[in-house]
């Protein structure tokens, strides 16, 4: 990773998270995300580049006496205690004057709003918001230590253990407070195992042990060792106990004694850790754990979600391109192309030559296309427009029908819910969207592209330069002269000259027309048809883009945005992690998809 990776990662993640959070996808959640995000936000970002300070967090299950243990460590009643379960509602920081100021400036616990604690009862008050972090200044503490009292890690109130989870991620030393009924609960074991795996120093303390009872001490030792075994700690690690005291007895000066052979009590044991060395070692293990958890999330959640999103987009776009546009939309420009060819011919050889040399039957082939519309040439444009609108509506209706009938089978349902929601919005607004599509396509078809004129000019030049037309002009002129002479002889009463002339002229006309229509006219029509196919394919692609923008981007709006954001985030992560973690877009398989009562869709899936 780069030396300045902390701030780079912070900026990249903030951009991605902020942008994705406004999308209606609900995808940034889950334990795999919080596992590394809490480490980064709670530990690495605020602590990696700051002065060394050991954060000692007192944590445990419901009603184990965490606040009592913290007060004993401080030898003062700094935070309120209560016999009721889940009494502590929010985290409390006990810190020196300097560290308290840093906390109040929100430079050490980024996911909370730090506020000075005016009285100890605020910790159990229900009136303050859950995101409040109470800060209590304690002048007797050195700058190298900071203590935390946390809500229950197994509270019935979910927000309590979520807060504890975040706040303990910032810890270096975790005091695991338990009693004889709260040391093997699944939630407790899971919480402290994770803390230990993250590189934290976990120190177990059995609270409420019977005083002056060797048997109770033996039981407490056995219970803690069972706990450490479940947490996968060394069973011989230092562990401590604190006796049960009557409610009215003073005990704040009492020691928290070890259960092992050592005589060192908990306060002194905590202070025995070399601050800078311990902090550095924990941060190194935290970085390793962060990278491991982030990679797991990136590959199992982020990459999976991206591939799933990308696959669905390709399914939609593939159906639109191959089925709707490729087969159903066939725009009608042949008549206009023939008119353009005739116009270009007149332009290149002149109107007089065109009239004298080319019979009216030369381009009569396009009349058969007009007949298909079953109208006279006067109403052809309106009829073409009507046909186009019918095709556009058919494509739109078939696409919408296919989308509504489609059923996606996947392990990720957040995207499906989003798509289904937008599909029904599309259905409710389909008339307005259809009208907008028709307007856009009409405008698209009415605009003559620049490249088309160049193609027409080349076709005409190629036609006029054809070897088959050599001598055609002379033949055509002679035939007209002979025809004129024949007609003149008939008018002037020259019976013997007229029939021969008429036959020669007619033969010249028919021969020349046959030459053109049987060879060059067919080649010219082929060129026109080829140009039409090229124009049609381009218009189909453009129409496909319009349907994509007006339909697919309506339905897949959030998915398209997520893919774009994910690709950008991936590029930034590759740069930060030197390419070790990157999105593998190769071999993205298409998700399974079915459309009820839709034979076209079944054909597509067989093809794929």
């Amino acid at each position: 990773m780069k030396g300045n990776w902390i701030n780079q990662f912070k900026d990249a993640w903030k951009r991605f998270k902020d942008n994705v959070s406004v999308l209606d996808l609900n995808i940034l959640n889950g334990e795999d995300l919080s596992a590394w995000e809490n480490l980064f936000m709670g530990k690495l970002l605020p602590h990696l580049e700051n002065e060394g300070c050991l954060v000692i967090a007192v944590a445990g299950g419901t009603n184990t006496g965490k606040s009592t243990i913290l007060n004993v460590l401080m030898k003062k009643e700094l935070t309120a205690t209560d016999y009721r379960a889940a009494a502590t509602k929010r985290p409390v920081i006990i810190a020196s004057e300097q560290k308290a100021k840093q906390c109040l400036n929100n430079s050490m616990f980024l996911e909370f709003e730090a506020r000075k604690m005016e009285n100890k009862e605020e910790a159990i008050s229900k009136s303050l918001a859950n995101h409040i972090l109470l800060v209590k200044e304690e002048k007797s503490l050195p700058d190298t230590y900071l203590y935390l009292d946390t809500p229950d890690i197994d509270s019935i109130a979910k927000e309590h253990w979520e807060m504890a989870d975040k706040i303990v991620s910032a810890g270096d030393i975790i005091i695991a407070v338990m009693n004889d009924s709260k040391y093997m609960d699944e939630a407790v074991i899971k919480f402290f195992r994770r803390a230990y795996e993250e590189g934290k120093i976990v120190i177990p303390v059995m609270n409420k042990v019977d005083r002056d009872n060797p048997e109770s001490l033996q039981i407490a030792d056995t219970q803690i060792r069972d706990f450490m075994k479940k947490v996968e700690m060394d069973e011989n690690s230092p562990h401590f106990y604190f006796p049960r005291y009557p409610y009215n007895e003073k005990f704040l000066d009492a020691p928290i004694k070890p259960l092992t052979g050592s005589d060192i009590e908990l306060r002194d044991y905590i202070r025995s850790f070399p601050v800078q060395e311990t902090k550095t070692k924990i941060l190194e293990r935290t970085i390793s754990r962060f990278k491991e958890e982030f990679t797991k999330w990136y590959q199992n959640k982020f990459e999976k979600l991206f591939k799933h999103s990308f696959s669905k987009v390709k399914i939609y776009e593939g159906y639109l391109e191959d089925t709707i546009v490729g087969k159903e939309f066939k725009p009608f420009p042949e008549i206009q192309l023939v008119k353009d060819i005739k116009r270009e011919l007149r332009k290149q050889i002149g109107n007089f030559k065109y009239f004298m040399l080319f019979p009216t039957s030369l381009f009569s082939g396009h009349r058969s296309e007009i007949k298909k519309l079953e109208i006279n040439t006067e109403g052809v444009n309106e009829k073409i427009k009507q046909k186009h609108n019918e095709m556009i509506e058919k494509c739109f209706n078939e696409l919408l029908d296919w989308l509504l009938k489609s059923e996606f089978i996947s392990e990720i349902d957040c995207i499906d819910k989003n798509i289904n929601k937008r599909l029904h919005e599309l259905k409710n607004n389909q008339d307005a969207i259809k009208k907008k599509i028709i307007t856009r396509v009409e405008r698209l078809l009415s605009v003559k592209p620049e490249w088309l004129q160049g193609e027409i000019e080349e076709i005409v030049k190629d036609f006029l330069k054809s070897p088959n037309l050599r001598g055609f002009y002379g033949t055509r002129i002679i035939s007209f002269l002979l025809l004129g002479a024949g007609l003149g002889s008939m008018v002037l009463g020259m019976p013997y000259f007229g029939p021969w002339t008429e036959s020669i002229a007619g033969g010249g006309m028919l021969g020349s027309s046959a030459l053109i229509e049987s060879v060059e006219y067919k080649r010219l029509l082929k060129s026109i048809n080829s140009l039409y196919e090229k124009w049609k394919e381009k218009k189909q692609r453009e129409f496909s883009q319009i349907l994509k923008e007006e339909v697919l981007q309506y339905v897949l709006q959030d998915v398209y945005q997520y893919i774009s954001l994910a690709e950008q985030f991936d590029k930034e992560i590759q740069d930060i992690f030197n390419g070790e973690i990157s999105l593998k877009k190769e071999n993205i398989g298409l998700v399974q998809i079915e459309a009820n009562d839709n034979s076209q869709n079944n054909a597509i899936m067989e093809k794929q």
Side-chain angles (χ1 to χ4, degrees), residues 294-458:
F294 177 76
T295 302
K296 188 189 303 181
W297 172 83
Y298 206 80
Q299 294 175 346
N300 296 341
K301 185 71 175 285
F302 177 84
E303 189 172 38
K304 180 180 179 181
L305 186 59
F306 178 88
K307 288 183 176 181
H308 179 79
S309 306
F310 191 81
S311 176
K312 285 200 169 187
V313 166
K314 290 304 177 184
I315 285 285
Y316 279 121
E317 292 179 350
Y319 179 81
L320 172 63
E321 187 72 28
D322 298 338
T323 304
I324 295 294
V325 177
K327 296 180 180 179
E328 302 297 338
F329 183 64
K330 299 177 181 178
F332 190 89
E334 290 100 327
I335 296 173
Q336 184 60 49
L337 285 178
V338 170
K339 289 181 179 177
D340 289 340
I341 293 289
K342 292 170 69 176
R343 191 179 301 112
E344 186 61 29
L345 269 172
R346 289 196 298 270
K347 177 181 174 183
Q348 293 203 26
I349 67 174
N351 287 327
F352 178 76
K353 284 185 178 181
Y354 177 83
F355 175 75
M356 293 297 295
L357 298 177
F358 294 98
T360 57
S361 63
L362 182 62
F363 295 104
S364 62
H366 74 277
R367 291 178 181 172
S368 61
E369 300 297 330
I370 299 177
K371 290 179 181 178
K372 292 178 184 178
L373 299 175
E374 299 177 354
I375 57 169
N376 296 324
T377 55
E378 295 178 358
V380 67
N381 290 333
E382 199 59 40
K383 192 66 176 180
I384 289 175
K385 181 179 178 181
Q386 180 183 337
K387 286 286 185 181
H388 283 164
N389 290 351
E390 289 174 359
M391 284 189 287
I392 294 167
E393 285 197 47
K394 189 174 188 296
C395 290
F396 174 84
N397 292 334
E398 286 195 11
L399 177 60
L400 180 58
D401 181 63
W402 182 81
L403 292 174
L404 289 170
K405 288 181 178 179
S406 298
E407 294 182 355
F408 298 95
I409 302 173
S410 68
E411 298 177 7
I412 305 172
D413 63 353
C414 55
I415 292 181
D416 294 340
K417 290 178 181 178
N418 177 275
I419 291 174
N420 288 332
K421 175 184 174 182
R422 291 193 172 273
L423 267 174
H424 288 289
E425 290 176 0
L426 174 64
K427 185 178 180 181
N428 294 335
N429 298 318
Q430 61 179 302
D431 291 338
I433 295 175
K434 188 190 302 180
K435 184 177 180 181
K436 186 177 180 182
I437 291 172
I438 289 174
T439 302
R440 287 188 63 182
V441 178
E442 283 178 354
R443 192 182 307 120
L444 171 73
L445 295 174
S446 64
V447 175
K448 183 178 179 180
E450 295 181 2
W451 63 267
L452 190 61
Q453 181 58 38
E455 296 273 357
I456 290 172
E457 291 175 4
E458 290 301 317

